[in-house]
Amino acid sequence: MKAVVRLNLLVASAFMLALLISLFGLMRQAKTDILRELQAGMAVADQLLEQVAQDPERLEPLLAIEWRHMHLAVLSAGQSPVPLEMDEVPEWFASWIWPQDMPSIERRRPLADGRILVVMADPADEMEEVWESALQVFALFMGGAALSILAISWGLSQGMRPFGQVLRALDQIQQGHFTARLKSYSVPEANRLASHFNRMAEALEQEQADNRRLTRELMVLQEKERSYLARELHDDLGQYLTGIRAQAYLISQVSGDAEKVSKSAPLIVRDCEAMQQGFRRLIRSLHPVILEPLGLEESLRSLAEQWQRSSGVNCRLGINGMPLLSDETSTHLYRLLQEALNNVARHAQATQVEIGMQVRGETLNVRVEDNGQGLSADVRPGIGLRSMHERARYMNADLHLLSAAGGGLRIELSLPLVMD
């Protein structure tokens, strides 16, 4: 059941209950008021009877008058008065207020000719007034209920309209159409909802654009990595293999010439050593195998030294306690710092980098700070920064970048430690 129907039923029920209570109070009070009015009318009747007793000639004029709250009749001896009728009031309503078993209120006075003057209380006028009041109360409550229901229906239709538009916009978002936007509304609450929705849609649209851009960058990077591997294998290792093959062929042709064999064998050894170094360099770029024999601390010191030699930027590493980390966490932390240093070499134009690691309680705090040009306010994170954030998220760590244009960049990583 819709909210507007439920609310209208609730309002209608409240009006109906209030109507029944009002009618009950009206009818209960009406019986007391009618009885009081009839008793007041009987006091007038006593005065009329006294006047007729003193002057019988006044009877006829009194009988011709339409009296309120009482009825005058002259009856023969033994004759019963005619029951009073209430044409304007429904019988069921009259029976509720003035039942048939109510004792009649009347006065009798014998006349000189043997007839009897009967004055009976007549509640018809009062009953008609009560009936009219009940109809007015009923009409008032029904009109109020109708106006309330119409107002609620209109108000809810206006108030629910933004929700319908929000649902349609959410359906568009669910289908991947992040360009969906909501217009402004006159209702402050709905306008705030629209503003929040539009900001969410803008963030999703920007995120979608970033993902597409990063996907393109990843594809470009993948091709670069493949090109790098192809060059390394072809230009470096391939050349050494070609040299070794040529020297081996030469040895096979001059196996009887000891002098030529002795000259070619060292060349083969030299090329094998160079090829082995090339393999180690290639494998190190693909996976930090140095972590396994040396551990994280020594691997980071080796990384800092090699990076300083290759980049020409002074790098200082300070480690104050190195906790025991899992292999996965160590690899992610190593790669994160490696990416941070690579970003400094490519973009920062720095002359000095400081790396600090310190254990505080159950948290490993890592800091990488340079004195370069920093990040501009409108810079979009590239694949390097995104990979750092992804590695931090994988380690359940918090990564923050603090920078000002021309003031260097400070990277802070808070890595929670699992304590046994």
Side-chain angles (χ1 to χ4, degrees):
M1 185 181 295
K2 294 184 178 180
V4 62
V5 177
R6 291 198 302 268
L7 188 56
N8 285 335
L9 287 177
L10 181 62
V11 170
S13 300
F15 269 95
M16 184 60 66
L17 179 60
L19 174 61
L20 293 177
I21 294 175
S22 299
L23 290 177
F24 176 77
L26 176 65
M27 295 170 67
R28 185 175 181 181
Q29 183 63 33
K31 186 175 182 179
T32 302
D33 294 342
I34 291 174
L35 184 60
R36 184 170 57 249
E37 292 292 334
L38 295 182
Q39 289 175 349
M42 287 298 99
V44 176
D46 291 336
Q47 296 178 3
L48 294 176
L49 293 176
E50 289 295 332
Q51 294 177 7
V52 171
Q54 295 175 5
D55 186 5
E57 297 296 332
R58 302 187 61 178
L59 177 59
E60 292 301 329
L62 292 177
L63 293 175
I65 298 175
E66 291 289 338
W67 295 96
R68 181 175 171 82
H69 300 151
M70 59 183 177
H71 178 72
L72 279 65
V74 178
L75 305 177
S76 302
Q79 184 181 3
S80 299
V82 179
L84 299 176
E85 297 181 357
M86 290 177 283
D87 299 333
E88 303 295 332
V89 180
E91 185 177 352
W92 58 269
F93 185 79
S95 62
W96 283 357
I97 299 180
W98 200 261
Q100 297 292 334
D101 57 356
M102 286 287 294
S104 61
I105 303 174
E106 61 181 34
R107 299 288 190 272
R108 292 175 177 265
R109 177 62 62 90
L111 301 176
D113 56 4
R115 294 181 301 171
I116 299 175
L117 175 61
V118 180
V119 181
M120 296 177 293
D122 186 1
D125 291 339
E126 291 295 327
M127 292 285 288
E128 291 176 3
E129 291 183 0
V130 174
W131 172 245
E132 291 175 357
S133 298
L135 290 178
Q136 292 175 358
V137 170
F138 180 81
L140 178 63
F141 274 89
M142 290 298 100
L147 290 176
S148 298
I149 290 174
L150 289 175
I152 290 172
S153 300
W154 181 84
L156 281 178
S157 65
Q158 297 297 316
M160 295 297 290
R161 183 179 301 173
F163 292 99
Q165 295 176 353
V166 168
L167 290 177
R168 288 192 293 272
L170 286 175
D171 289 338
Q172 295 180 9
I173 293 292
Q174 187 178 8
Q175 296 171 5
H177 304 301
F178 300 127
T179 56
R181 297 293 186 273
L182 294 175
K183 63 180 182 180
S184 300
Y185 299 99
S186 58
V187 180
E189 292 79 5
N191 199 37
R192 287 211 319 266
L193 177 62
S195 299
H196 285 296
F197 178 88
N198 291 338
R199 286 197 295 269
M200 179 197 71
E202 290 172 0
L204 290 174
E205 185 180 13
Q206 185 62 54
E207 191 70 19
Q208 185 185 52
D210 291 343
N211 288 337
R212 290 174 178 172
R213 178 173 57 84
L214 290 175
T215 300
R216 290 194 297 269
E217 292 180 1
L218 282 173
M219 295 176 67
V220 172
L221 181 61
Q222 185 181 40
E223 292 301 322
K224 287 183 178 179
E225 291 289 339
R226 290 177 177 177
S227 299
Y228 167 75
L229 292 176
R231 286 195 306 271
E232 288 291 322
L233 292 174
H234 180 270
D235 299 342
D236 191 2
L237 302 181
Q239 290 181 4
Y240 290 129
L241 286 174
T242 301
I244 292 172
R245 180 180 179 182
Q247 296 298 331
Y249 177 78
L250 180 61
I251 291 176
S252 68
Q253 297 297 319
V254 296
S255 58
D257 190 341
E259 182 180 358
K260 290 184 177 181
V261 171
S262 63
K263 289 182 178 179
S264 298
L267 296 178
I268 294 176
V269 173
R270 184 198 64 186
D271 289 344
C272 286
E273 290 178 353
M275 187 172 63
Q276 186 178 20
Q277 293 296 327
F279 267 116
R280 288 178 179 174
R281 184 173 62 256
L282 182 61
I283 292 173
R284 188 181 297 112
S285 66
L286 298 177
H287 179 71
V289 294
I290 193 174
L291 287 172
E292 298 176 1
L294 298 182
L296 180 60
E297 182 173 352
E298 292 301 323
S299 298
L300 292 177
R301 295 188 186 278
S302 176
L303 173 65
E305 292 174 1
Q306 293 178 7
W307 181 84
Q308 180 174 277
R309 287 196 300 269
S310 63
S311 65
V313 179
N314 183 31
C315 181
R316 293 188 297 179
L317 174 64
I319 300 178
N320 186 9
M322 176 60 70
L324 181 61
L325 303 175
S326 65
D327 293 341
E328 287 185 338
T329 302
S330 298
T331 301
H332 282 299
L333 185 56
Y334 180 91
R335 288 300 194 191
L336 189 148
L337 293 175
Q338 186 181 45
E339 183 63 39
L341 291 176
N342 290 338
N343 286 338
V344 172
R346 287 194 295 262
H347 308 297
Q349 300 180 4
T351 60
Q352 180 173 318
V353 177
E354 293 185 4
I355 302 175
M357 302 181 67
Q358 185 177 12
V359 177
R360 291 184 179 177
E362 298 183 357
T363 303
L364 173 63
N365 295 319
V366 182
R367 174 180 54 85
V368 180
E369 187 172 4
D370 65 68
N371 62 349
Q373 62 182 357
L375 296 176
S376 59
D378 57 347
V379 68
R380 302 299 303 176
I383 191 170
L385 291 178
R386 290 295 293 266
S387 67
M388 292 169 61
H389 281 284
E390 287 299 317
R391 292 186 185 277
R393 185 180 63 84
Y394 187 85
M395 294 186 292
N396 197 26
D398 293 328
L399 181 66
H400 299 284
L401 278 65
L402 307 176
S403 174
L409 175 65
R410 179 186 179 97
I411 301 174
E412 295 181 350
L413 179 74
S414 297
L415 175 62
L417 303 175
V418 180
M419 306 297 291
D420 295 332

